[in-house]
Amino acid sequence: MQTLPVPTQPTPAESGIDTVIHRRQTRPVRVGNVTIGGGHPVVVQSMINEDTMDIEGSVASIRRLHEMGCEIVRVTVPSVGHAKAVGEIKQKLAETYQPVPLVADVHHNGMKIALEVAKHVDKVRINPGLYVFEKPKADRGEYTQAEFDEIGEKIRETLKPLVISLRDQDKAMRIGVNHGSLAERMLFTYGDTPEGMVESALEFIRICESLDFQNLVISLKASRVPVMLAAYRLMAKRMDELGMDYPLHLGVTEAGDGEYGRIKSTAGIGTLLAEGIGDTIRVSLTEAPEKEIPVCYSILQALGLRKTMVEYVACPSCGRTLFNLEDVLHEVREATKHLTGLDIAVMGCIVNGPGEMADADYGYVGKQPGYISLYRGREEIKKVPEDRGVEELINLIKADGRWVDP
């Protein structure tokens, strides 16, 4: 998907108010032909639903997502057989489509699986709470420091081969903490808290750093937005204190479906991005993966972080409106939605129209009954009959050389 450069906005010195999102400085981590962090555009990710053993189905699903603008695709690998299948998927994508950055999801006691799949993917995602499974004890009262350290050493020895493999192949790892699957000793030590999530991630980061591996991306997902926000904010704070600059992967896990799932995801992801936190995002909906991508781009576009579609400015309609604003907005959108990077305003009357749409490239304004005034920026270009308004808007865009056929 084409992404246009974000327009330069006024600096505080020029306007007195800073309207630019200042992103947290992070190191660049390469995942295939995509780079996360390091000032690169926020990367969009998703995950296929297919069983990875279904080679043809997986390839088709990955391709659909990538063609929609999904830049990194995750697949699940619950067994060594699945891990080997990813190699076939990767090869078939290269032969029949193009290379797509792939991430493998590895969970319970996954060292053998991870070592196999690391040969085939660009990034391996591990969950610290599940990578070395700690069997709970029913009568557990606390963890002694000796027990804590003993398990920590076991984790190091289990993680070490994967770290070395990824390091030597110049590939990446995501340390993906989930609020719902913290390890038992983290729960006993820190409670079911954002602090426990952060400490879980830091333990794995330190192991990787001790092995001279820093191609890391960190996530701290939760299904409740306030927990998710607190965890990421604390992680950014702790990394700043420790001199770490790893990029963060944002998401509200198990957000659900429909309107609320989208609002919930936007509340979490959008809030952090607005604070400058976050380098790659995934909207987790209980729907087809393809439904996630438009939500991601809408969040990024609304915040001015990526410009991938037409930005429509439209008033809410009122008694002054001189045409059916909802119908006209729909008609304008249908005619121009394939364009990239334009701002088009559809305003119902002259009172607020020219002022509210001042930053738009083109304006469609009802100034008198039965007629539409078309604007280029702040300049009124012509007045046309209402039934020719959309046609003449297209002609204006064409005259400026900014039109492309659908």
Side-chain angles (χ1 to χ4, degrees), residues 3 25 28 50 54 79 121 158 191 259 283 319 334 359 374 377 380 383:
T3 300
Q25 296 299 304
E50 277 75 14
D54 176 3
S79 72
V121 296
T158 308
E259 182 181 30
V283 169
E334 287 302 304
D359 293 330
L374 296 178
E380 183 176 355
K383 188 180 296 181

Side-chain angles (χ1 to χ4, degrees), residues 191-259:
D192 187 12
T193 63
E195 184 182 12
M197 297 170 70
V198 169
E199 291 301 323
S200 182
L202 287 173
E203 179 179 51
F204 274 65
I205 290 172
R206 291 185 178 108
I207 292 171
C208 292
E209 289 184 336
S210 73
L211 296 167
D212 193 30
F213 179 63
Q214 295 181 306
N215 289 343
L216 302 173
V217 179
I218 315 300
S219 65
L220 303 101
K221 296 186 180 182
S223 57
R224 291 200 299 121
V225 171
V227 175
M228 174 261 197
L229 294 174
Y232 278 104
R233 286 166 176 159
L234 180 59
M235 188 77 220
K237 179 175 180 289
R238 293 285 286 127
M239 284 201 289
D240 288 346
E241 293 169 351
L242 295 168
M244 297 175 177
D245 59 355
Y246 300 110
L248 290 170
H249 169 127
L250 304 184
V252 178
T253 191
E254 297 144 0
D257 66 351
E259 182 181 30

Side-chain angles (χ1 to χ4, degrees), residues 33 39 45 90 104 121 163 192 224 264 268 276 295 314 318 322 335 395:
N33 58 11
Q45 302 196 32
K90 188 83 170 174
V121 296
V163 171
D192 187 12
R224 291 200 299 121
K264 191 174 180 180
V295 187
C318 69
L322 296 177
N395 288 337

